Amino acid sequence: MNVSIPLVAVLGAVVWLAWRYMGLRAWHVVVCLLFGFFLAATSAAPEIRRLVTVLVQAVSKN
């Protein structure tokens, strides 16, 4: 998946902006990271990856 590094950078920027300006607490960030980490180990991970790929391709075509 070629889009993983830029998408991670965009999501990281969104989290940083939410932390900086929307009052996101450090423990919220930790919970989100742990949720993502454990979600990646489930059987839903390939389907989520496919869905994200389709969404990114749809956005990049427009």
Side-chain angles (χ1 to χ4, degrees):
M1 179 183 220
N2 294 336
V3 83
S4 63
I5 293 174
L7 186 58
V8 167
V10 169
L11 290 174
V14 169
V15 170
W16 181 81
L17 288 171
W19 184 24
R20 176 84 171 136
Y21 298 107
M22 295 172 50
L24 187 68
R25 303 281 185 226
W27 70 270
H28 295 134
V29 175
V30 171
V31 169
C32 289
L33 288 171
L34 288 173
F35 177 71
F37 178 77
F38 287 118
L39 184 62
T42 66
S43 61
E47 190 61 35
I48 293 169
R49 185 179 302 264
R50 253 184 258 122
L51 176 64
V52 170
T53 302
V54 167
L55 290 174
V56 168
Q57 287 174 350
V59 169
S60 66
K61 286 183 182 180
N62 292 332

